[in-house]
Amino acid sequence: MKPKKLAVAVRHAAFEDLGTFQSTLTASGYSTQYLDAGCDHLNPASNADLLIVLGGPISANDEAYYPYLRHEIELIEQRLSAGLPILGICLGAQLIARAMGSRVYAGPAKEIGFAAIELTKAGLSSPISELAGGSVLHWHGETFDLPNGATLLASTAICENQAFSVGTQAMACQFHPEVCDGRFERWLIGHHSELVSERIDIGHLRATEWGERDALRLRSDAFLKIWLAQLV
């Protein structure tokens, strides 16, 4: 029996997990392990076959409050230098940008809700293209400069830099393609204070997720499967 590859996911909030990516990783021959940021040592992620840095409600610039973010950035730097695969989602994408020397800063407006991404020419021929043709979940107030050596794959009207790749080894998505596993209510509870302060219609957001879920699950699965197949 062929040994399973190991995918390690760094998690910043319990409800912002692998979502639908879990089943795709399993089907692609990966076992998975979570490391909870600030609680678990990051050593197991150093030589994992795949590192996934997930989202969370903190800023990529918040080392003063959460010093372990520096350790995450160092881990990302090490893996990029070694050519080891890494996938960043939302905060994870911003941490990859920081690890590559780019700024992370407040965007022109918060993006919270479901909306389509606009693909660049490079994005049209990348695994990200599988996510086109429908909406994905956006949930961020910050954005980043495109790192040197990275290829821009997708944008929105609010944020130009929504997704980028570094060769085939690194993929960074500022949005959430993984949120379509039927447990979105955890997000609505976990982010209640922000939703209320931003005057987001929780009922509308819940209904939109319900309507997008099945189609997004299929597109998310295709995206991740194709990207994983490209990894050496």
Side-chain angles (χ1 to χ4, degrees):
M1 183 176 178
K2 187 176 180 181
K4 283 184 175 290
K5 296 180 179 180
L6 175 62
V8 171
V10 177
R11 180 170 55 186
H12 303 91
F15 59 88
E16 294 200 32
D17 57 18
L18 288 167
T20 192
F21 282 173
Q22 178 68 65
S23 60
T24 307
L25 287 164
T26 300
S28 299
Y30 286 82
S31 62
T32 55
Q33 176 184 356
Y34 282 107
L35 298 178
D36 287 315
C39 298
D40 298 323
H41 203 287
L42 296 178
N43 275 351
S46 297
N47 297 309
D49 296 289
L50 172 62
L51 172 65
I52 303 173
V53 185
L54 295 167
I58 60 178
S59 169
N61 298 313
D62 272 348
E63 296 105 313
Y65 303 113
Y66 308 104
Y68 49 81
L69 287 173
R70 169 43 55 187
H71 301 150
E72 291 186 51
I73 291 171
E74 291 171 355
L75 171 63
I76 293 168
E77 290 172 345
Q78 292 165 9
R79 289 188 64 93
L80 289 171
S81 295
L84 297 174
I86 180 169
L87 172 63
I89 302 297
C90 200
L91 172 60
Q94 295 167 352
L95 289 170
I96 293 175
R98 278 207 60 193
M100 295 182 68
S102 288
R103 293 187 309 138
V104 175
Y105 50 91
K110 282 195 175 184
E111 278 189 295
I112 300 177
F114 286 84
I117 53 173
E118 182 177 345
L119 300 178
T120 64
K121 184 177 180 180
L124 288 169
S125 58
S126 82
I128 284 283
S129 64
E130 297 294 331
L131 295 172
S135 296
V136 295
L137 177 65
H138 302 269
W139 205 308
H140 64 97
E142 294 186 320
T143 189
F144 50 81
D145 291 330
L146 184 68
N148 290 333
T151 301
L152 181 63
L153 302 176
S155 304
T156 61
I158 292 177
C159 286
E160 179 182 5
N161 299 323
Q162 284 284 3
F164 65 85
S165 61
V166 183
T168 58
Q169 76 167 113
M171 177 70 72
C173 302
Q174 190 164 243
F175 48 87
H176 291 274
E178 82 286 4
V179 182
C180 44
D181 64 347
R183 297 182 295 168
F184 187 59
E185 195 66 25
R186 299 181 309 159
W187 285 63
L188 301 181
I189 295 170
H191 288 299
H192 171 77
S193 295
E194 182 181 23
L195 290 170
V196 171
S197 66
E198 295 296 322
R199 298 183 178 181
I200 303 295
D201 185 332
I202 295 174
H204 176 73
L205 188 55
R206 179 186 291 118
T208 302
E209 187 275 335
W210 177 265
E212 296 284 350
R213 182 186 302 169
D214 291 343
L216 178 55
R217 183 185 293 120
L218 293 174
R219 290 183 285 117
S220 174
D221 178 68
F223 154 68
L224 186 58
K225 278 183 177 176
I226 292 173
W227 184 68
L228 292 173
Q230 292 182 353
L231 300 179
V232 178

